[in-house]
Short mmCIF file of all heavy atoms in Angstrom, two decimals:
data_model
loop_
_atom_site.label_atom_id
_atom_site.label_comp_id
_atom_site.label_asym_id
_atom_site.label_seq_id
_atom_site.Cartn_x
_atom_site.Cartn_y
_atom_site.Cartn_z
N GLN A 15 -41.37 118.71 201.78
CA GLN A 15 -42.46 117.73 201.84
C GLN A 15 -43.73 118.31 202.45
O GLN A 15 -44.69 117.57 202.68
CB GLN A 15 -42.00 116.49 202.64
CG GLN A 15 -40.85 115.73 201.98
CD GLN A 15 -41.15 115.41 200.51
OE1 GLN A 15 -42.21 114.88 200.18
NE2 GLN A 15 -40.23 115.76 199.63
N ALA A 19 -46.15 122.57 199.31
CA ALA A 19 -45.07 122.32 198.34
C ALA A 19 -45.51 121.22 197.37
O ALA A 19 -45.28 121.30 196.16
CB ALA A 19 -43.79 121.92 199.07
N GLU A 25 -48.18 117.40 192.84
CA GLU A 25 -48.20 116.03 193.37
C GLU A 25 -49.48 115.74 194.15
O GLU A 25 -49.83 114.59 194.36
CB GLU A 25 -46.98 115.81 194.28
CG GLU A 25 -45.66 115.87 193.53
CD GLU A 25 -44.45 115.99 194.44
OE1 GLU A 25 -44.57 115.78 195.67
OE2 GLU A 25 -43.36 116.30 193.91
N LEU A 26 -50.13 116.80 194.60
CA LEU A 26 -51.43 116.68 195.26
C LEU A 26 -52.39 117.62 194.55
O LEU A 26 -51.98 118.68 194.06
CB LEU A 26 -51.32 117.06 196.75
CG LEU A 26 -50.57 116.11 197.67
CD1 LEU A 26 -50.46 116.72 199.08
CD2 LEU A 26 -51.26 114.75 197.74
N PRO A 45 -62.47 124.88 205.32
CA PRO A 45 -62.79 126.31 205.36
C PRO A 45 -63.35 126.76 206.70
O PRO A 45 -64.14 126.06 207.32
CB PRO A 45 -63.83 126.46 204.25
CG PRO A 45 -64.44 125.11 204.09
CD PRO A 45 -63.36 124.12 204.41
N PRO A 48 -67.64 129.34 204.11
CA PRO A 48 -67.69 128.98 202.70
C PRO A 48 -66.96 130.02 201.83
O PRO A 48 -67.13 131.22 202.02
CB PRO A 48 -69.20 128.98 202.40
CG PRO A 48 -69.84 128.72 203.73
CD PRO A 48 -68.97 129.42 204.75
N PHE A 65 -39.93 135.57 203.69
CA PHE A 65 -40.34 135.85 202.31
C PHE A 65 -39.53 137.05 201.81
O PHE A 65 -39.33 138.02 202.55
CB PHE A 65 -41.84 136.16 202.27
CG PHE A 65 -42.37 136.38 200.88
CD1 PHE A 65 -42.69 135.29 200.07
CD2 PHE A 65 -42.54 137.66 200.37
CE1 PHE A 65 -43.17 135.48 198.78
CE2 PHE A 65 -43.01 137.85 199.08
CZ PHE A 65 -43.33 136.76 198.29
N LEU A 70 -42.88 141.38 198.20
CA LEU A 70 -44.10 141.48 199.02
C LEU A 70 -45.20 142.28 198.33
O LEU A 70 -46.38 141.91 198.40
CB LEU A 70 -43.78 142.14 200.37
CG LEU A 70 -43.46 141.20 201.51
CD1 LEU A 70 -43.05 142.00 202.74
CD2 LEU A 70 -44.63 140.27 201.83
N GLU A 72 -45.80 142.67 195.10
CA GLU A 72 -46.43 141.87 194.04
C GLU A 72 -47.33 140.79 194.64
O GLU A 72 -48.40 140.48 194.12
CB GLU A 72 -45.36 141.15 193.21
CG GLU A 72 -44.53 142.02 192.31
CD GLU A 72 -43.48 141.15 191.62
OE1 GLU A 72 -43.79 140.61 190.55
OE2 GLU A 72 -42.38 140.99 192.18
N GLN A 78 -54.90 141.00 196.84
CA GLN A 78 -55.98 141.97 196.62
C GLN A 78 -56.85 141.57 195.42
O GLN A 78 -58.08 141.66 195.45
CB GLN A 78 -55.41 143.37 196.41
CG GLN A 78 -56.50 144.43 196.30
CD GLN A 78 -55.96 145.76 195.79
OE1 GLN A 78 -55.19 145.81 194.83
NE2 GLN A 78 -56.35 146.84 196.45
N ALA A 81 -59.13 138.92 196.46
CA ALA A 81 -60.17 139.47 197.34
C ALA A 81 -61.26 140.16 196.50
O ALA A 81 -62.46 140.03 196.77
CB ALA A 81 -59.56 140.46 198.33
N LEU A 82 -60.83 140.87 195.46
CA LEU A 82 -61.82 141.52 194.58
C LEU A 82 -62.67 140.48 193.86
O LEU A 82 -63.87 140.66 193.66
CB LEU A 82 -61.09 142.43 193.56
CG LEU A 82 -60.54 143.73 194.16
CD1 LEU A 82 -59.50 144.37 193.23
CD2 LEU A 82 -61.67 144.71 194.45
N LYS A 85 -65.20 139.17 196.28
CA LYS A 85 -66.27 140.17 196.45
C LYS A 85 -67.27 140.08 195.31
O LYS A 85 -68.48 140.03 195.53
CB LYS A 85 -65.66 141.57 196.52
CG LYS A 85 -66.68 142.70 196.59
CD LYS A 85 -65.98 144.03 196.78
CE LYS A 85 -66.98 145.17 196.83
NZ LYS A 85 -67.28 145.73 195.51
N ALA A 87 -67.71 137.57 193.07
CA ALA A 87 -68.34 136.25 192.85
C ALA A 87 -69.30 135.87 193.97
O ALA A 87 -70.36 135.31 193.71
CB ALA A 87 -67.26 135.19 192.73
N PHE A 98 -50.72 133.28 209.58
CA PHE A 98 -50.23 132.75 210.85
C PHE A 98 -48.78 132.32 210.66
O PHE A 98 -48.47 131.58 209.72
CB PHE A 98 -51.07 131.54 211.27
CG PHE A 98 -52.54 131.84 211.40
CD1 PHE A 98 -53.40 131.59 210.34
CD2 PHE A 98 -53.07 132.37 212.56
CE1 PHE A 98 -54.77 131.86 210.44
CE2 PHE A 98 -54.43 132.65 212.68
CZ PHE A 98 -55.28 132.39 211.61
N VAL A 107 -49.33 124.63 208.35
CA VAL A 107 -48.61 124.23 207.12
C VAL A 107 -47.47 125.23 206.95
O VAL A 107 -47.71 126.45 206.82
CB VAL A 107 -49.54 124.23 205.89
CG1 VAL A 107 -48.73 123.86 204.64
CG2 VAL A 107 -50.71 123.27 206.08
N LEU A 122 -70.97 133.33 212.20
CA LEU A 122 -69.80 132.99 213.02
C LEU A 122 -68.77 132.28 212.16
O LEU A 122 -69.11 131.55 211.23
CB LEU A 122 -70.22 132.07 214.16
CG LEU A 122 -71.06 132.74 215.26
CD1 LEU A 122 -71.49 131.70 216.29
CD2 LEU A 122 -70.28 133.87 215.92
N GLU A 130 -63.33 119.92 209.62
CA GLU A 130 -64.49 119.50 208.81
C GLU A 130 -64.18 119.77 207.35
O GLU A 130 -64.17 120.94 206.91
CB GLU A 130 -65.69 120.34 209.23
CG GLU A 130 -66.93 119.54 209.52
CD GLU A 130 -68.00 120.47 210.03
OE1 GLU A 130 -67.85 120.98 211.16
OE2 GLU A 130 -68.95 120.72 209.29
#
Side-chain angles (χ1 to χ4, degrees):
Q15 296 308 310
E25 294 167 13
L26 289 175
F65 184 81
L70 267 175
E72 288 178 88
Q78 185 193 45
L82 286 163
K85 175 175 179 271
F98 303 95
V107 178
L122 289 176
E130 229 175 291

